[in-house]
């Protein structure tokens, strides 16, 4: 069996089956049924956030957030994220304006944002990369000064706290992905968190085609609803999150202790008081070394992932060559995520460590 970069968490089948039986009893599959409502209520409790909606994936979450905040034109964003951050902007007709990242935290560098603001800028869409918080205070100050909205792609941020609050509670809107590969998942799914209850109300209409009653519509909507089957998966998985995070922490700490000093790691943002160990990214000195690490791992049937590559300004549908993002271009060439999931055992991890350490030797 190959060792992959991640493996979805599967809860005990009986627990999921028990909820499936209830779905059959309820005779209700989708359209904001009892389990979707219960999952929203449980998430509000667990995260201490009032304004949230459950949606069908993390990409629709970004797209609905962009629409609900009534943005237009240019949006400042990061070249170092998963492609969905940029593609959502392009899909919704916005122009992404790439601002370079901080070489230590790998998040958008706030000191470069103001120079990218024009009279067409309406928002900042930044990613909390690998669950590491952006400099939310600096970004908030810039947004207030220039009257911009802030959206965080918080797809990696489940369970993370910054200055005592869920990281999802920062920004005008913040979006989560509950995809199968994420730390907490509903197989497919996501959520949107809003500062303002009025934006939440707009978004929840948008999630359901813009319906205000069976025959009335007061905005353009889309189908962002999620099903009872997905909500039930979330309700079961929620109970396992503390154990999942604890196991990821233990594996991460073993990597920290055993990997060669030739390997470096991003720096955790100051003020992040609870981290979730969602990923284990490593940086090596240059791209040939990275390619050597990948080859060495693959020769032992270990499949890492180049998260994130390429730098998003280089997407073929953007005029990326003009983007002045030297840090993102450099980092994307020499970063890799190592296997990290709760059932990765000590022997398997030792194989990963051995291969990496051999490949990075100067
Ligand atoms: C996973 C992910 C998404 C997309 O979420 P889906 O639920 O797969 O649509 C968006 N942004 C980032 C940073 C992600 O990692």
């Amino acid at each position: 069996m190959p060792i992959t970069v991640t493996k979805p968490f599967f809860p005990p089948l009986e627990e999921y089956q028990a909820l499936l039986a209830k779905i059959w009893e309820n005779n209700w599959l989708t359209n904001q049924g009892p389990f979707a409502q219960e999952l929203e209520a449980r998430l509000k409790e667990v995260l201490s956030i009032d304004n949230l909606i459950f949606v069908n994936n993390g990409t629709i979450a970004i797209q609905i957030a962009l629409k609900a905040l009534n943005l237009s034109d240019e949006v400042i964003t990061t070249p170092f994220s998963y492609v969905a951050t940029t593609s959502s902007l392009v899909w919704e007709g916005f122009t992404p304006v790439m601002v370079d990242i901080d070489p230590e935290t790998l998040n958008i560098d706030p000191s470069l944002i103001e120079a990218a603001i024009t009279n067409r800028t309406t928002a900042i869409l930044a990613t909390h990369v690998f669950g590491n918080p952006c400099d939310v205070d600096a970004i908030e100050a810039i947004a207030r000064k220039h009257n911009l909205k802030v959206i965080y792609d918080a797809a990696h941020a489940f369970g993370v706290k910054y200055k005592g609050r869920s990281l999802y509670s920062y920004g005008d809107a913040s979006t989560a992905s509950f995809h199968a590969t994420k730390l907490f998942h509903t197989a497919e799914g996501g959520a949107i968190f809003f500062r303002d209850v009025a934006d939440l109300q707009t978004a929840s209409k948008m999630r359901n085609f813009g319906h205000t009653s069976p025959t009335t519509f007061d905005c353009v909507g889309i189908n962002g609803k999620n099903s009872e089957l997905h909500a039930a998966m979330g309700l079961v998985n929620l109970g396992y999150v503390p154990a999942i995070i604890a196991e990821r922490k233990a594996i991460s700490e073993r990597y920290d202790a055993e990997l060669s000093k030739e390997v470096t790691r991003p720096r955790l943002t100051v003020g992040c008081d609870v981290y979730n160990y969602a990923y284990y990214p490593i940086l090596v000195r240059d791209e040939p070394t990275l390619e050597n690490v990948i080859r060495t791992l693959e020769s032992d049937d270990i499949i890492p992932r180049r998260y994130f590559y390429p730098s998003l300004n280089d997407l073929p549908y953007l005029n990326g060559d003009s983007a002045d993002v030297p840090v993102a271009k450099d980092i994307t060439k020499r970063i890799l995520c190592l296997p990290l999931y709760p059932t990765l055992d000590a022997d398997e991890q030792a194989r990963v460590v051995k291969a990496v350490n051999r490949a990075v030797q100067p």
Side-chain angles (χ1 to χ4, degrees), residues 9-11 16 19 39 184-187 228-238:
F9 174 76
F10 277 81
Y16 188 56
L19 294 198
L39 181 62
F184 163 73
H185 78 83
T186 59
E228 292 293 280
L229 303 164
H230 294 85
M233 181 65 105
L235 285 166
V236 175
N237 286 349
L238 209 45

Side-chain angles (χ1 to χ4, degrees), residues 57-59 62 81-82 84-85 127 153 155-156 177-179 182 189 279:
N57 61 65
T59 306
I62 301 171
S81 183
Y82 183 57
T85 315
T127 301
D153 179 342
H156 304 167
S177 166
F178 301 154
H179 182 257
K182 304 301 203 273
Y279 296 84

Side-chain angles (χ1 to χ4, degrees), residues 42-61:
R42 292 275 290 120
L43 288 170
K44 287 178 193 178
E45 226 174 86
V46 169
L47 301 165
S48 301
I49 297 186
D50 283 335
N51 299 335
L52 72 86
I53 60 172
F54 178 46
V55 296
N56 48 18
N57 61 65
T59 306
I60 272 291

Side-chain angles (χ1 to χ4, degrees), residues 247-256 277 280 340 349:
E247 289 183 54
R248 287 175 168 279
K249 178 169 192 267
I251 295 168
S252 300
E253 287 172 350
R254 269 205 305 269
Y255 274 138
D256 290 346
Y277 306 89
Y280 198 92
L340 176 59
Q349 194 179 2

Side-chain angles (χ1 to χ4, degrees), residues 41 47 70 72 79 107 109 118-119 168 176 185 189 290 333 338 356:
L47 301 165
N70 199 20
S72 60
N107 290 322
D109 183 343
T118 72
N119 55 12
Y168 293 141
H185 78 83
L290 188 81
K333 289 192 182 108
L338 295 183
V356 173

Side-chain angles (χ1 to χ4, degrees), residues 38-263:
E38 190 181 332
L39 181 62
E40 287 181 345
R42 292 275 290 120
L43 288 170
K44 287 178 193 178
E45 226 174 86
V46 169
L47 301 165
S48 301
I49 297 186
D50 283 335
N51 299 335
L52 72 86
I53 60 172
F54 178 46
V55 296
N56 48 18
N57 61 65
T59 306
I60 272 291
I62 301 171
Q63 291 174 12
I64 293 177
L66 291 164
K67 290 284 199 203
L69 296 177
N70 199 20
L71 308 177
S72 60
D73 232 332
E74 291 179 2
V75 175
I76 288 173
T77 189
T78 174
F80 191 67
S81 183
Y82 183 57
V83 67
T85 315
T86 302
S87 63
S88 297
L89 286 168
V90 177
W91 190 265
E92 293 296 345
F94 299 96
T95 304
V97 175
M98 299 287 175
V99 165
D100 210 357
I101 58 171
D102 179 289
E104 295 194 333
T105 64
L106 312 184
N107 290 322
I108 197 165
D109 183 343
S111 73
L112 304 175
I113 291 177
E114 282 195 289
I117 296 173
T118 72
N119 55 12
R120 300 171 56 201
T121 311
T122 58
I124 300 165
L125 169 59
T127 301
H128 300 300
V129 175
F130 305 131
N132 193 21
C134 287
D135 187 343
V136 293
D137 302 318
I139 292 170
E140 181 71 21
I142 295 163
R144 291 213 171 173
K145 181 170 161 201
H146 296 274
N147 200 21
L148 307 176
K149 298 285 186 182
V150 179
I151 301 178
Y152 288 110
D153 179 342
H156 304 167
F158 200 94
V160 177
K161 286 190 176 174
Y162 178 78
K163 295 190 176 169
R165 274 161 47 199
S166 165
L167 191 51
Y168 293 141
S169 68
Y170 294 86
D172 295 286
S174 174
T175 63
S177 166
F178 301 154
H179 182 257
T181 56
K182 304 301 203 273
L183 187 148
F184 163 73
H185 78 83
T186 59
E188 289 278 0
I192 322 173
F193 305 82
F194 289 98
R195 172 149 43 209
D196 219 335
V197 72
D199 294 333
L200 173 92
Q201 285 159 350
T202 305
S204 61
K205 274 181 270 180
M206 289 176 167
R207 172 177 66 174
N208 187 27
F209 306 100
H211 272 291
T212 41
S213 80
T215 51
T216 56
F217 305 88
D218 73 6
C219 61
V220 182
I222 195 163
N223 184 356
K225 295 176 277 96
N226 211 334
S227 82
E228 292 293 280
L229 303 164
H230 294 85
M233 181 65 105
L235 285 166
V236 175
N237 286 349
L238 209 45
Y240 291 91
V241 166
I244 290 171
I245 293 179
E247 289 183 54
R248 287 175 168 279
K249 178 169 192 267
I251 295 168
S252 300
E253 287 172 350
R254 269 205 305 269
Y255 274 138
D256 290 346
E258 292 171 15
L259 284 171
S260 158
K261 299 290 171 251
E262 295 293 318
V263 165

